[in-house]
């Protein structure tokens, strides 16, 4: 302690504070103070860089507060170890916590030069200071860790003694090499070696090691990316010191001093902006921040992600991602008044293979950049999404098949139909409304089957089909299939309405891809999964993300949907027909052409594309009148604008997908089990309902019609009494208003106001456009009462 008290005043070169000579401070006082200090320095885990990998193990992005990758001492080149010891503490393995000779030498040298030439702190003392600075969590702790005070010097020395007692010299040197800052954002020797020279720490040469060793003293002043000349001078000083200590020969030192720095600087890639797949990266980060298994609070989870040195294995396939990026960027420019997006989800696993968006990530609005991810659910991307239009119709189609309604069932679908809103069943009875809902078509009128009504996207057909299924079951099915925007009391009050089938609910591209992947997987829904596993810096498993799948509809129902939607593509979408295997899909066009969609899939890959018009504030507006990559939009349609994105992306990966056909629907799904429909004309509604239900049919109530039958009684049914219909299918009752009919009652199938069977019923071509889409309006408006519905 006497030796310590004599030299403590020169622990920091250039700052002479003769502690033992201070008034009131004796040798015994110093010893007593030392004994009262904590005997142990807690060394917490160092902040390390987290790496996000794609499915092939290639790096997508890095996340860090400090760009550091810890390595053991054995993975640091011996010349690097010798270089750092030569310039910082060449007697490190010979002295204890305090190098008395080195401290006195530095004091004498600095006094003679009138400045700070040599440092007196041992590597152990430096490690203590670096540790205290690194672990400081408040400004006060940071100030205390760097203050030139008696208290700090004494504290550091006591901690240094503790470290030397508790740890080996190799442990201290290893920790030191991993904690120190080497400038330009590089923390620790491995990150520095990769950043400045693009090599690993174990492969550093003498010239490279000398440069890095010289940076420790002043990582800002000697930063070679800022001042190469000053950095070279410092490197040469280290080389000379290494020669002086016989680490290298004088000849080699002279040769190396004559050479340049040999830099191969690698740009620091931190965060998702610089990622190879920015929007997928952003989705992954937000997905993990929402995972309570990674921390009790979002702050704790963020700290783990950015300091934990994690390796995050994702589901991203870069071949698919490139295909998605190219398809979207070809259709929509970043500066267009629209957002283009596409997501790919693997059926049967839920693995998210690609997420693409037309607007790049960033804050430069002139370049169209944004930080809003419009492709993923709002909880992961901050966008509320857009109305999905007729891509919601398959949810009602699925429920109809579940209910036993055969695919060959016919419904008369006029150009315009007005239906009582309270004729639609919801989850707690019938929809409570005295209003009427008027629905218009943009794709023809006539009598359609479930095949042709879907393939032609006939609004009045689906309005009546939804009368038979009710709104509740299709709504709940869509929720189970991944449309998360439908969850919650507020969503149900807004979207659980008759116009649900026309896609008035806001949703996003990824959720729709997840839902349509359920059809491809024959009724097995798998939640979207972007992450497979997380491992810690030592290879320990932090968490494994298994697929989360469950059956939400019978396989036979999905087979029926696939057969119907297959006809959409085969009937007229050239942009989606060039695949080498069977594909199915559905278009969607929303209110006033604000958004256009195409949701499609093969048996092994689901993809959904969308283009939505937005104004400068990011709010929805019509695509009509805009330019999309130079192409003027005179009429917005899913087939004309969204389907080509889907087709381009899927064709690019088609060769990587196994050629697997869909399973054909069963005869029961197509034709049903036929039974005779009882004649209930002239009965009361309750009597007719009881009669039909006893015969194995479901019952729905249609509009009132002109008829000579007494008002309030059943005028006729569709299908009509005496005809055959599938058991379990729904029979629609048409109620007389007491006014004699101007036409005769139909003999079979259609209601009496059917003027003809549209000759185009078999044509599955669908331009996806609605010329009068009054329903839906802006986000949050269900449009009941006066809306015409979203178009196909």
């Amino acid at each position: 302690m006497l030796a310590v008290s004599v030299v403590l005043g020169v622990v920091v070169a250039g700052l002479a504070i003769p502690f033992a000579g201070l008034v009131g401070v004796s040798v015994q006082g110093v010893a007593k103070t030392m004994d009262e200090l904590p005997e142990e320095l807690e060394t917490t885990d160092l902040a390390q860089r987290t790496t996000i990998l794609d499915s092939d193990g290639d790096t997508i992005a890095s996340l860090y507060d400090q760009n550091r990758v810890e390595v053991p001492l054995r993975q640091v080149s011996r010349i690097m170890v010798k270089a750092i010891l030569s310039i910082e503490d060449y007697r490190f393995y010979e002295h204890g916590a305090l190098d008395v000779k080195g401290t006195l030498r530095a004091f004498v040298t600095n006094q003679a030069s009138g400045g700070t030439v040599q440092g007196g702190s041992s590597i152990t003392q430096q490690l203590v200071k670096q540790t205290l600075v690194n672990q400081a969590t408040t400004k006060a702790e940071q100030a205390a860790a760097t203050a030139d005070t008696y208290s700090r010097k004494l504290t550091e020395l006591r901690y240094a003694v503790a470290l030397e007692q508790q740890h080996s010299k190799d442990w201290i040197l290893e920790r030191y090499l991993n904690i120190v800052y080497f400038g330009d954002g590089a923390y620790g020797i491995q990150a520095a070696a990769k950043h400045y020279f693009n090599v690993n720490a174990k492969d550093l040469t003498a010239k490279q090691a000398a440069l890095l060793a010289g940076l420790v003293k002043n990582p800002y002043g000697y930063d070679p990316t800022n001042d190469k000349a000053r950095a070279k001078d410092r490197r040469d000083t280290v080389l000379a010191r290494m020669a002086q200590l016989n680490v290298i020969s004088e000849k080699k030192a002279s040769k190396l001093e004559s050479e340049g720095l040999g830099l191969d600087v690698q740009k620091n890639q931190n965060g998702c902006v610089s990622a190879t797949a920015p929007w997928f990266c952003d989705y992954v980060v937000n997905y993990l921040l929402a995972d309570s298994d990674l921390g009790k609070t979002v702050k704790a989870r963020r700290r783990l992600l950015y300091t934990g040195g994690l390796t995050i294995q994702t589901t991203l396939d870069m071949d698919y991602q490139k295909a998605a990026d190219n398809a979207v960027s070809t259709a929509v420019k970043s500066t267009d008044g629209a957002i283009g997006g596409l997501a790919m989800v693997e059926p049967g696993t839920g693995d998210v293979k690609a997420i693409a968006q037309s607007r790049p990530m960033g804050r430069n609005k002139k370049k169209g950049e944004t930080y809003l991810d419009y492709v993923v659910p709002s909880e992961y991307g901050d966008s509320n999404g857009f109305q999905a239009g007729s891509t919601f119709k398959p949810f009602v189609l699925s429920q109809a098949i579940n209910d036993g309604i055969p695919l060959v069932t016919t419904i008369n679908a006029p150009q315009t139909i007005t239906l009582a809103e309270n004729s639609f069943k919801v989850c707690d009875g019938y929809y409570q409304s005295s209003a009427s809902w008027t629905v218009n078509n943009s794709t023809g009128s006539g009598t359609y089957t479930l095949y042709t009504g879907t393939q032609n996207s006939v609004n009045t057909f689906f309005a009546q089909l939804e009368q038979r299924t009710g709104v509740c079951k299709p709504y709940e099915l869509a929720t189970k299939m991944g449309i998360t925007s439908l969850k919650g009391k507020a969503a149900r009050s807004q979207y659980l309405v008759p116009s649900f089938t026309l896609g008035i609910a806001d949703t996003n591209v990824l959720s729709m891809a997840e839902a349509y992947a359920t059809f491809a997987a024959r009724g097995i829904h798998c939640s979207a999964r972007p992450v497979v596993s997380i491992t810690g810096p030592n290879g320990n498993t932090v968490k494994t993300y298994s697929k989360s799948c469950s059956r939400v509809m019978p396989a036979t129902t999905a087979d029926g949907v696939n057969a119907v939607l297959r006809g959409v593509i085969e009937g007229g979408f050239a942009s989606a027909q060039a695949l080498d295997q069977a594909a199915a899909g559905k278009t969607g066009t929303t209110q006033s052409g604000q958004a256009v969609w195409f949701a499609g899939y093969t048996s092994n890959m689901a993809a959904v594309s969308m283009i939505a018009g937005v104004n400068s504030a990011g709010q929805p507006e019509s695509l009509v009148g805009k330019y999309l990559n130079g192409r003027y939009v005179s009429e917005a349609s899913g087939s004309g604008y969204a389907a080509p994105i889907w087709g381009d992306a899927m064709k690019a990966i088609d060769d990587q997908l196994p050629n697997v056909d869909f399973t054909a629907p069963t005869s029961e799904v197509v034709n049903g089990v036929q039974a005779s429909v009882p004649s209930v004309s002239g009965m009361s509604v309750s009597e007719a309902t009881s009669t039909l239900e006893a015969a194995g049919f479901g019952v729905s109530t249609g509009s009132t019609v002109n008829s000579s039958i007494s008002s309030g009684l059943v005028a006729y049914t569709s299908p009509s009494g005496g005809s055959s219909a599938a058991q379990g299918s729904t029979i629609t009752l048409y109620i007389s208003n007491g006014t004699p009919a101007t036409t005769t009652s139909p003999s079979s199938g259609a209601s009496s106001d059917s003027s003809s069977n549209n000759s185009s019923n078999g044509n599955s071509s669908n331009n996806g456009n609605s010329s009068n889409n009054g329903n839906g309006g802006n986000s949050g408006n269900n449009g009941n009462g006066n809306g015409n519905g979203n178009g196909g």
Side-chain angles (χ1 to χ4, degrees), residues 469-503:
T469 65
V471 183
C472 182
K473 289 183 178 179
Y475 187 100
E476 292 182 341
L477 179 60
T479 304
K480 292 176 183 177
M481 292 173 68
I483 310 301
T484 56
S485 59
L486 301 178
K487 293 182 177 180
K489 185 176 181 180
R492 291 174 75 88
S493 65
Q494 184 176 353
Y495 300 139
L496 188 58
V497 294
S499 54
F500 168 79
T501 188
L502 302 184

Short mmCIF file of all heavy atoms in Angstrom, two decimals, residues 469-503:
data_model
loop_
_atom_site.label_atom_id
_atom_site.label_comp_id
_atom_site.label_asym_id
_atom_site.label_seq_id
_atom_site.Cartn_x
_atom_site.Cartn_y
_atom_site.Cartn_z
N THR A 469 -76.20 -18.48 -46.21
CA THR A 469 -75.18 -18.90 -45.23
C THR A 469 -75.26 -18.10 -43.95
O THR A 469 -74.78 -18.57 -42.90
CB THR A 469 -73.77 -18.71 -45.82
OG1 THR A 469 -73.52 -17.31 -46.03
CG2 THR A 469 -73.60 -19.47 -47.12
N GLY A 470 -75.84 -16.90 -44.03
CA GLY A 470 -75.72 -15.98 -42.93
C GLY A 470 -74.37 -15.29 -42.98
O GLY A 470 -73.46 -15.70 -43.71
N VAL A 471 -74.22 -14.23 -42.21
CA VAL A 471 -72.97 -13.46 -42.20
C VAL A 471 -72.00 -14.02 -41.17
O VAL A 471 -70.78 -14.00 -41.37
CB VAL A 471 -73.23 -11.97 -41.92
CG1 VAL A 471 -71.94 -11.16 -42.00
CG2 VAL A 471 -74.27 -11.42 -42.89
N CYS A 472 -72.52 -14.55 -40.07
CA CYS A 472 -71.68 -14.91 -38.94
C CYS A 472 -70.64 -15.97 -39.28
O CYS A 472 -69.45 -15.79 -39.01
CB CYS A 472 -72.56 -15.41 -37.78
SG CYS A 472 -71.63 -15.82 -36.29
N LYS A 473 -71.07 -17.07 -39.88
CA LYS A 473 -70.14 -18.17 -40.12
C LYS A 473 -69.04 -17.82 -41.13
O LYS A 473 -67.87 -18.14 -40.90
CB LYS A 473 -70.91 -19.41 -40.56
CG LYS A 473 -71.71 -20.05 -39.42
CD LYS A 473 -72.40 -21.32 -39.87
CE LYS A 473 -73.17 -21.97 -38.72
NZ LYS A 473 -73.87 -23.21 -39.15
N PRO A 474 -69.36 -17.15 -42.25
CA PRO A 474 -68.27 -16.72 -43.13
C PRO A 474 -67.31 -15.75 -42.44
O PRO A 474 -66.09 -15.81 -42.66
CB PRO A 474 -69.00 -16.06 -44.30
CG PRO A 474 -70.36 -16.65 -44.29
CD PRO A 474 -70.68 -16.90 -42.85
N TYR A 475 -67.87 -14.87 -41.63
CA TYR A 475 -67.04 -13.89 -40.90
C TYR A 475 -66.08 -14.61 -39.96
O TYR A 475 -64.87 -14.32 -39.93
CB TYR A 475 -67.96 -12.96 -40.10
CG TYR A 475 -67.28 -11.78 -39.43
CD1 TYR A 475 -67.31 -10.52 -40.01
CD2 TYR A 475 -66.61 -11.93 -38.22
CE1 TYR A 475 -66.70 -9.43 -39.39
CE2 TYR A 475 -66.00 -10.86 -37.60
CZ TYR A 475 -66.05 -9.61 -38.18
OH TYR A 475 -65.44 -8.54 -37.57
N GLU A 476 -66.61 -15.55 -39.18
CA GLU A 476 -65.77 -16.28 -38.25
C GLU A 476 -64.77 -17.17 -38.97
O GLU A 476 -63.64 -17.36 -38.50
CB GLU A 476 -66.64 -17.09 -37.29
CG GLU A 476 -67.45 -16.20 -36.35
CD GLU A 476 -68.29 -17.00 -35.37
OE1 GLU A 476 -68.54 -18.20 -35.63
OE2 GLU A 476 -68.71 -16.41 -34.35
N LEU A 477 -65.15 -17.70 -40.11
CA LEU A 477 -64.22 -18.51 -40.90
C LEU A 477 -63.06 -17.66 -41.39
O LEU A 477 -61.90 -18.07 -41.31
CB LEU A 477 -64.96 -19.14 -42.08
CG LEU A 477 -64.11 -20.00 -43.03
CD1 LEU A 477 -63.47 -21.16 -42.29
CD2 LEU A 477 -64.95 -20.50 -44.20
N ALA A 478 -63.36 -16.47 -41.89
CA ALA A 478 -62.30 -15.57 -42.36
C ALA A 478 -61.35 -15.22 -41.22
O ALA A 478 -60.12 -15.15 -41.41
CB ALA A 478 -62.92 -14.30 -42.94
N THR A 479 -61.90 -15.02 -40.02
CA THR A 479 -61.06 -14.72 -38.86
C THR A 479 -60.14 -15.89 -38.55
O THR A 479 -58.95 -15.71 -38.30
CB THR A 479 -61.95 -14.40 -37.64
OG1 THR A 479 -62.84 -13.33 -37.96
CG2 THR A 479 -61.09 -14.00 -36.45
N LYS A 480 -60.68 -17.11 -38.59
CA LYS A 480 -59.87 -18.29 -38.33
C LYS A 480 -58.80 -18.49 -39.39
O LYS A 480 -57.76 -19.10 -39.13
CB LYS A 480 -60.76 -19.53 -38.26
CG LYS A 480 -61.71 -19.57 -37.07
CD LYS A 480 -62.62 -20.79 -37.14
CE LYS A 480 -63.62 -20.82 -35.99
NZ LYS A 480 -64.54 -21.97 -36.10
N MET A 481 -59.04 -17.99 -40.59
CA MET A 481 -58.10 -18.16 -41.69
C MET A 481 -57.01 -17.09 -41.69
O MET A 481 -56.14 -17.12 -42.55
CB MET A 481 -58.85 -18.15 -43.02
CG MET A 481 -59.74 -19.39 -43.21
SD MET A 481 -60.79 -19.29 -44.68
CE MET A 481 -59.58 -19.38 -46.00
N GLY A 482 -57.05 -16.16 -40.72
CA GLY A 482 -55.95 -15.22 -40.59
C GLY A 482 -56.26 -13.76 -40.82
O GLY A 482 -55.36 -12.92 -40.78
N ILE A 483 -57.53 -13.41 -41.06
CA ILE A 483 -57.87 -12.00 -41.27
C ILE A 483 -58.04 -11.37 -39.89
O ILE A 483 -59.15 -11.26 -39.34
CB ILE A 483 -59.15 -11.84 -42.12
CG1 ILE A 483 -59.03 -12.69 -43.40
CG2 ILE A 483 -59.37 -10.37 -42.48
CD1 ILE A 483 -57.85 -12.34 -44.28
N THR A 484 -56.94 -10.95 -39.31
CA THR A 484 -56.93 -10.48 -37.92
C THR A 484 -57.66 -9.16 -37.74
O THR A 484 -58.07 -8.83 -36.62
CB THR A 484 -55.49 -10.33 -37.43
OG1 THR A 484 -54.77 -9.44 -38.31
CG2 THR A 484 -54.78 -11.67 -37.41
N SER A 485 -57.83 -8.40 -38.82
CA SER A 485 -58.52 -7.11 -38.70
C SER A 485 -60.00 -7.28 -38.35
O SER A 485 -60.67 -6.31 -38.01
CB SER A 485 -58.39 -6.31 -40.00
OG SER A 485 -58.94 -7.03 -41.09
N LEU A 486 -60.50 -8.52 -38.43
CA LEU A 486 -61.90 -8.79 -38.11
C LEU A 486 -62.10 -9.07 -36.62
O LEU A 486 -63.24 -9.19 -36.16
CB LEU A 486 -62.42 -9.98 -38.91
CG LEU A 486 -62.37 -9.86 -40.44
CD1 LEU A 486 -62.88 -11.13 -41.08
CD2 LEU A 486 -63.19 -8.66 -40.91
N LYS A 487 -61.01 -9.18 -35.87
CA LYS A 487 -61.12 -9.53 -34.46
C LYS A 487 -61.50 -8.31 -33.62
O LYS A 487 -61.15 -7.18 -33.95
CB LYS A 487 -59.79 -10.10 -33.96
CG LYS A 487 -59.42 -11.45 -34.56
CD LYS A 487 -58.12 -11.96 -33.98
CE LYS A 487 -57.78 -13.34 -34.53
NZ LYS A 487 -56.51 -13.86 -33.97
N GLY A 488 -62.18 -8.57 -32.53
CA GLY A 488 -62.50 -7.51 -31.59
C GLY A 488 -63.91 -6.96 -31.76
O GLY A 488 -64.52 -7.05 -32.83
N LYS A 489 -64.41 -6.39 -30.69
CA LYS A 489 -65.78 -5.89 -30.66
C LYS A 489 -65.98 -4.76 -31.66
O LYS A 489 -67.00 -4.70 -32.37
CB LYS A 489 -66.11 -5.40 -29.25
CG LYS A 489 -67.55 -4.97 -29.06
CD LYS A 489 -67.82 -4.60 -27.61
CE LYS A 489 -69.28 -4.18 -27.41
NZ LYS A 489 -69.55 -3.82 -25.99
N ALA A 490 -65.01 -3.85 -31.75
CA ALA A 490 -65.15 -2.71 -32.67
C ALA A 490 -65.21 -3.18 -34.11
O ALA A 490 -66.02 -2.68 -34.91
CB ALA A 490 -63.99 -1.73 -32.47
N ALA A 491 -64.38 -4.15 -34.45
CA ALA A 491 -64.36 -4.67 -35.82
C ALA A 491 -65.67 -5.36 -36.15
O ALA A 491 -66.23 -5.21 -37.24
CB ALA A 491 -63.18 -5.62 -36.01
N ARG A 492 -66.20 -6.13 -35.20
CA ARG A 492 -67.44 -6.86 -35.46
C ARG A 492 -68.61 -5.90 -35.66
O ARG A 492 -69.47 -6.14 -36.52
CB ARG A 492 -67.72 -7.82 -34.30
CG ARG A 492 -66.75 -8.97 -34.22
CD ARG A 492 -66.98 -9.83 -32.99
NE ARG A 492 -68.16 -10.67 -33.14
CZ ARG A 492 -68.14 -11.88 -33.68
NH1 ARG A 492 -67.02 -12.39 -34.15
NH2 ARG A 492 -69.25 -12.60 -33.77
N SER A 493 -68.63 -4.83 -34.89
CA SER A 493 -69.72 -3.87 -35.07
C SER A 493 -69.62 -3.15 -36.41
O SER A 493 -70.63 -2.70 -36.96
CB SER A 493 -69.69 -2.84 -33.93
OG SER A 493 -68.52 -2.05 -33.99
N GLN A 494 -68.43 -3.07 -36.95
CA GLN A 494 -68.21 -2.35 -38.21
C GLN A 494 -68.34 -3.25 -39.43
O GLN A 494 -68.87 -2.84 -40.47
CB GLN A 494 -66.81 -1.73 -38.18
CG GLN A 494 -66.48 -0.87 -39.38
CD GLN A 494 -65.12 -0.20 -39.23
OE1 GLN A 494 -64.49 -0.29 -38.19
NE2 GLN A 494 -64.67 0.45 -40.28
N TYR A 495 -67.88 -4.49 -39.31
CA TYR A 495 -67.77 -5.36 -40.48
C TYR A 495 -68.74 -6.54 -40.51
O TYR A 495 -68.90 -7.17 -41.55
CB TYR A 495 -66.35 -5.91 -40.59
CG TYR A 495 -65.28 -4.85 -40.73
CD1 TYR A 495 -64.06 -4.97 -40.05
CD2 TYR A 495 -65.47 -3.73 -41.53
CE1 TYR A 495 -63.07 -4.00 -40.18
CE2 TYR A 495 -64.49 -2.76 -41.66
CZ TYR A 495 -63.29 -2.90 -40.98
OH TYR A 495 -62.31 -1.95 -41.11
N LEU A 496 -69.33 -6.90 -39.36
CA LEU A 496 -70.26 -8.03 -39.33
C LEU A 496 -71.63 -7.55 -39.82
O LEU A 496 -72.59 -7.41 -39.07
CB LEU A 496 -70.36 -8.60 -37.92
CG LEU A 496 -71.15 -9.91 -37.74
CD1 LEU A 496 -70.56 -11.03 -38.60
CD2 LEU A 496 -71.18 -10.33 -36.29
N VAL A 497 -71.70 -7.29 -41.11
CA VAL A 497 -72.86 -6.66 -41.75
C VAL A 497 -73.11 -7.37 -43.07
O VAL A 497 -72.25 -8.10 -43.58
CB VAL A 497 -72.60 -5.15 -41.98
CG1 VAL A 497 -72.48 -4.41 -40.67
CG2 VAL A 497 -71.34 -4.95 -42.83
N PRO A 498 -74.29 -7.19 -43.66
CA PRO A 498 -74.59 -7.87 -44.92
C PRO A 498 -73.56 -7.65 -46.03
O PRO A 498 -73.30 -8.56 -46.83
CB PRO A 498 -75.96 -7.31 -45.30
CG PRO A 498 -76.60 -7.02 -43.98
CD PRO A 498 -75.49 -6.52 -43.10
N SER A 499 -72.97 -6.47 -46.10
CA SER A 499 -72.01 -6.20 -47.18
C SER A 499 -70.65 -6.82 -46.94
O SER A 499 -69.71 -6.59 -47.71
CB SER A 499 -71.86 -4.69 -47.37
OG SER A 499 -71.52 -4.06 -46.15
N PHE A 500 -70.52 -7.63 -45.90
CA PHE A 500 -69.25 -8.32 -45.61
C PHE A 500 -68.73 -9.07 -46.83
O PHE A 500 -67.55 -9.03 -47.16
CB PHE A 500 -69.43 -9.28 -44.44
CG PHE A 500 -68.28 -10.23 -44.26
CD1 PHE A 500 -67.11 -9.82 -43.65
CD2 PHE A 500 -68.37 -11.55 -44.72
CE1 PHE A 500 -66.05 -10.70 -43.49
CE2 PHE A 500 -67.32 -12.43 -44.57
CZ PHE A 500 -66.15 -12.01 -43.95
N THR A 501 -69.60 -9.75 -47.54
CA THR A 501 -69.18 -10.59 -48.67
C THR A 501 -68.53 -9.79 -49.79
O THR A 501 -67.78 -10.35 -50.59
CB THR A 501 -70.38 -11.37 -49.23
OG1 THR A 501 -69.92 -12.30 -50.20
CG2 THR A 501 -71.40 -10.43 -49.88
N LEU A 502 -68.80 -8.48 -49.83
CA LEU A 502 -68.22 -7.64 -50.89
C LEU A 502 -66.89 -7.01 -50.48
O LEU A 502 -66.35 -6.18 -51.19
CB LEU A 502 -69.22 -6.55 -51.28
CG LEU A 502 -70.58 -7.07 -51.77
CD1 LEU A 502 -71.45 -5.91 -52.23
CD2 LEU A 502 -70.41 -8.08 -52.89
N GLY A 503 -66.35 -7.44 -49.33
CA GLY A 503 -64.99 -7.02 -48.96
C GLY A 503 -64.88 -5.60 -48.48
O GLY A 503 -63.97 -4.89 -48.88
#
